[in-house]
Amino acid sequence: MTEKKVVKKSTLARNIFIALIAAIVVGLIFRNQAAFLNTYIRPFGNIFLNLLKFIVVPIVLFSIMGGIISMKDIKKVGEVGGFTVLYYFLTTACAIGIGLLFANLAKGFFPVLSTIDLNYEISAEVSMMDTLVNIFPSNFLAPIVDANMLQVIVMSLIIGFAILLIEPAKQAKAISAIETINDIFMKAMELILKLSPIGVFCLLAPVIAENGPMIIGSLASVLLVAYLAYAVHILVVYSTTIRTMGGLSPIEFFKGMAPAMIFGFSSASSMGTLPINLKSCEELGADPDVAAFVLPLGATINMDGTAIYQGVCAVFIASCYGINLTLGQMLTIVLISTLASIGTAGVPGSGMIMLAMVLQSVGLPVEGIALVAGIDRIFDMGRTVVNITGDATAAIINSNRLRRKGKIA
């Protein structure tokens, strides 16, 4: 890593951290003027998020295609994809186990809240087969317009594989065109990322102003349990995997991931953090082509933080209704949370949809979601940090694994 790149990385991390602290201070000072901050400050954060959403789809589409064609071997793509999906499933299962463990240890400290007149409407149920069908696009433009990331990933895979299978002369032209387009969008991403500190401040200050007092209120114990579980999963599971399989010091890893983690906490969006996560992983030594393939996939299907949230909230809601979950119900929560992570969009609030599925699967009242809905944004900020950090470990581990096999430089 060149000295110039180190300076750029540390400056971005420093500026985002300063913006984070400034947002907390301003949010607490103006906590009685949350409406003002939401009206006049948050829109600038939304502009930044809109720019990120604009760049995410082309980045995912062309970076995955670029990653596939650079590997030049469909078997190699399958190996990376298979290992990544298995890794994501195993870490998600660990995450939900940690969430359930912490929640059961702490449920005696959960507050007793009234469940009378609770109401929560869930969106229309979609069957497993409908979910499977909806992964595959029926229109070339619809996934891009709707930002349906699973369909965009499928498009990228199909087109990338097709390029590898056409005749060499035409293949060279296609590869050159995709690499050029990918470079253009990567440069556009760099321009947008320079606005990160402003985006962090404008997104976070209104959230702190609106929820600050609530954090120390009746739901503080639930938040504390969730955040302890988040921290343990990051510091134990990810530190272990990154050291043993990634060949990287955990301290170096977390230091390099600081910009992405801080932005993920502020934006509560895995997809929104994807450009910064790509940049951080490459600076930590992840192969650009592997990162370009693994990270968009993880932002779509890897939801470790969300899985922890499911476990903690399920036990909390059960406690409020005077229900003790059986071992069988807890195993069901592990299974459903792990499977439900596939297809859950990496956007703010998606955890609520998964929580409704989990509660239904073990016979708990879905209306109980109303108990935590008011502070879901606070849960979401922490679980996004876990999600994007898990994606990064997969990119670095895959890169290290392929280097040891001599399949990448």
Side-chain angles (χ1 to χ4, degrees), residues 207-208 211-221 223-224 375 378:
V207 173
I208 297 296
N211 296 286
M214 193 178 298
I215 294 175
I216 56 175
S218 61
L219 295 171
S221 59
L223 283 166
L224 179 61
I375 56 169
I378 307 297

Side-chain angles (χ1 to χ4, degrees), residues 301-331:
I301 71 170
N302 183 42
M303 301 286 166
D304 290 4
T306 308
I308 291 171
Y309 163 81
Q310 314 303 322
V312 171
C313 287
V315 173
F316 168 68
I317 290 168
S319 298
C320 288
Y321 280 93
I323 299 170
N324 287 315
L325 294 174
T326 65
L327 178 61
Q329 285 176 310
M330 284 190 276
L331 290 175

Side-chain angles (χ1 to χ4, degrees), residues 23 26-28 30-34 37 204-213:
V26 170
L28 291 175
F30 293 96
R31 62 179 180 269
N32 295 322
Q33 282 82 41
L37 294 179
L204 190 56
V207 173
I208 297 296
E210 195 167 1
N211 296 286

Side-chain angles (χ1 to χ4, degrees), residues 82-127:
F83 178 87
T84 301
V85 171
L86 178 62
Y87 176 79
Y88 285 155
F89 265 82
L90 291 176
T91 57
T92 300
C94 287
I96 183 63
I98 289 171
L100 286 170
L101 174 64
F102 272 75
N104 278 287
L105 290 174
K107 67 180 178 181
F109 298 97
F110 286 156
V112 178
L113 301 179
S114 173
T115 57
I116 299 172
D117 298 327
L118 284 180
N119 184 43
Y120 181 80
E121 292 185 12
I122 59 173
S123 53
E125 274 193 61
V126 180
S127 71

